Amino acid sequence: MNKYSQALAVALLTTSLSGAVLAADVTVQATDVQSLNSVAMAKPAVDTEDVAKKLANPIANMISVPLQYEFSRGLGKNQGGSEQTALLQPVAPFNLGGGDTFIVRPIIAGVREVSIEGANGHPYSGYGIASVTLESFYAPETGSSWVWGVGPYAQSPSGNSGHFGSQQTGAGVTAVALNRDGPWTYGLLAYQSWSVGGNPMYGTQNALFGEPFIAYTTKSAWTFSSNMEANYNYDAHRTTNPLYAGVSKVEVFDGVPVSFAAGPIYYVSNAPGGPSGWGARATITLIILK
């Protein structure tokens, strides 16, 4: 073989090797892309039905951050005032092991009042912080559809004006018991509060609260619910009793579930000067999955 033939053979061999390497590289890249796609497809989707059911359970082991807006009317001496309330009420569960959890629910209430006539006949409009409430529950693993929780309760004074509620500090105990029966969730949440100091002029914290609730969740994560939030004050001997009925839906945005809820409120009974008649409530809840 002459030197020209040798050079030609070397060139052909080099070209073949380069093509083989390039083909192998393309194959590896294609395999990597397929692997990545398989991993992405294997990532579990959010179970919106399960999230919706847990939202109906006050002591579910799930982090949620609800922001609630509520409109009420019929306030004041002449029942001509209105009130708008914004509630921030995050739910933070802590695992204690063995399935037991400790749930903390702080509630911060901001209020806007319009044309509320006081006992002196002068109307008032303004806004402020109504109260800061802390509910907590120790919830043991029961091994059944029935679950319960109990823990300490505390509520701060609403401020110095007296326009947004009691100026007293409340302390007591809160409890809940409920059943998760298929699509149904129903039970009772309650707390007993005692006054532990403060000015009783604008109402006291000596109260008993009871909230029976029921919810039905569909497989498409729609929830139809109702509750009655009865709050009896021992000193006023009166009960504020709003009845709520609403519908909610869980949607997923970029892997993050969010719940939207809305519905009317009707005050079956009310304290003097408190809300009466019809109102409305809307809630947006951000869910943080572990």
Side-chain angles (χ1 to χ4, degrees), residues 131-146:
S131 61
V132 178
T133 303
L134 181 64
E135 298 177 351
S136 61
F137 306 89
Y138 164 69
E141 173 59 47
T142 63
S144 73
S145 62
W146 283 96

Side-chain angles (χ1 to χ4, degrees), residues 42-121:
K43 184 178 179 180
V46 176
D47 188 343
T48 55
E49 180 188 4
D50 181 65
V51 170
K53 287 181 178 180
K54 287 181 177 178
L55 284 176
N57 176 1
I59 54 175
N61 189 5
M62 183 178 71
I63 301 173
S64 61
V65 185
L67 179 60
Q68 176 181 293
Y69 168 82
E70 187 170 302
F71 174 79
S72 302
R73 53 182 293 277
L75 286 88
K77 184 179 179 181
N78 65 350
Q79 295 188 326
S82 64
E83 182 179 83
Q84 299 177 70
T85 304
L87 291 176
L88 177 64
Q89 40 190 349
V91 179
F94 299 90
N95 292 320
L96 302 179
D100 296 355
T101 56
F102 186 75
I103 296 93
V104 178
R105 300 204 315 170
I107 304 172
I108 304 173
V111 180
R112 167 67 174 169
E113 295 185 341
V114 178
S115 301
I116 297 185
E117 183 178 348
N120 57 8

Side-chain angles (χ1 to χ4, degrees), residues 58-59 105 135 137 174-177 187-191 209-213 228:
I59 54 175
R105 300 204 315 170
E135 298 177 351
F137 306 89
T174 186
V176 64
L188 174 67
L189 186 149
Y191 68 75
F209 175 87
E211 181 187 344
F213 58 89
M228 183 175 286

